[in-house]
Amino acid sequence: MLKTINYDIIDIGEEPDKAFIMIHGWRGNRNSFKSIPPLLKLSNIRWYFPEAPYNFEGNENQKTWAVRTDDDNWSADESKRLLIDFFENIVFKTFKPENVYIMGFSQGAAVCYEFILSLKYNFGGIFPIAGFMVNNHNIPSVNSIYNNVPILIGHGKDDDVVPLEASEKAFEFLSKSCKNIDLFIYNGKHKIGLEYLKKVKIIVDYVK
């Protein structure tokens, strides 16, 4: 059992005043999305790349945020514990929650839906991409603090791994309690679209 989550940092600018957290997908790791900072071109920002605690089939280079239990269910208890500790004892020691942005891809987007949106932290923005809700009928309640937090869901229209309908269902569900939410569908398959990133940049740059 890990005491703290493993993560890497990339600083853009000498005195970052915002933080951006990248939550990788199934079988990814903390190196999966280090190509994103140059594409987003954000200034004065600290990028965090946390790594899921569970190994996929014993492979230390392929990680997952949830594991199958002996009774054939899924558990993410260790991920939840480590992420809360990561926010409270690492990220929030330097940045206020409202200056922290979170992007999750695929299983990382599921982490946003199932866990991040149930927390009490008033994040600056949430960006789930090509993701899904594990169980539409039994997911945590969205904390009311996210009523006006910008949430931009992204999905490739030709995604052949996670169907577009998964994001459409998430958007429909979250729209009931989140007022500042949008769904952006871009050309491409199971990837992060450049047009989507441009919209993310506008949101992050809006608050100075």
Side-chain angles (χ1 to χ4, degrees), residues 57-181:
E57 296 184 350
N59 189 330
E60 294 184 355
N61 294 317
Q62 296 183 358
K63 300 292 186 176
T64 174
W65 295 99
V67 290
R68 194 177 294 276
T69 59
D70 293 338
D71 58 358
D72 208 32
N73 288 314
W74 289 90
S75 173
D77 291 345
E78 183 71 353
S79 293
K80 293 176 181 179
R81 180 186 69 81
L82 288 170
L83 282 171
I84 289 176
D85 176 77
F86 172 68
F87 288 130
E88 295 187 344
N89 294 311
I90 297 173
V91 180
F92 296 157
K93 294 295 184 182
T94 305
F95 304 96
K96 296 179 180 179
E98 57 265 32
N99 293 326
V100 176
Y101 300 83
I102 300 177
M103 179 177 288
F105 177 78
S106 196
Q107 190 191 54
V111 172
C112 292
Y113 295 140
E114 307 288 330
F115 179 60
I116 299 298
L117 289 175
S118 70
L119 299 176
K120 62 182 179 180
Y121 314 127
N122 185 26
F123 290 116
I126 310 291
F127 309 112
I129 309 168
F132 53 92
M133 288 183 167
V134 176
N135 187 339
N136 289 327
H137 303 293
N138 186 30
I139 67 172
S141 298
V142 177
N143 194 304
S144 60
I145 202 168
Y146 293 100
N147 183 50
N148 292 306
V149 170
I151 301 173
L152 180 62
I153 299 172
H155 211 117
K157 69 176 185 178
D158 298 316
D159 195 324
D160 54 352
V161 177
V162 178
L164 172 59
E165 290 77 14
S167 282
E168 291 175 333
K169 289 180 180 179
F171 174 71
E172 181 181 2
F173 176 84
L174 293 174
S175 294
K176 298 174 183 177
S177 53
C178 301
K179 306 306 179 185
N180 192 4
I181 184 171

Side-chain angles (χ1 to χ4, degrees), residues 25-49:
W26 183 60
R27 299 175 66 176
N29 56 46
R30 61 182 130 173
N31 296 311
S32 295
F33 291 108
K34 289 182 178 176
S35 61
I36 296 298
L39 296 176
L40 262 179
K41 299 178 181 178
L42 297 171
S43 59
N44 296 320
I45 197 157
R46 172 167 293 176
W47 289 85
Y48 289 94
F49 301 89

Side-chain angles (χ1 to χ4, degrees), residues 18-31:
K18 298 188 187 78
F20 210 114
I21 298 170
M22 289 293 304
I23 303 180
H24 67 75
W26 183 60
R27 299 175 66 176
N29 56 46
R30 61 182 130 173
N31 296 311

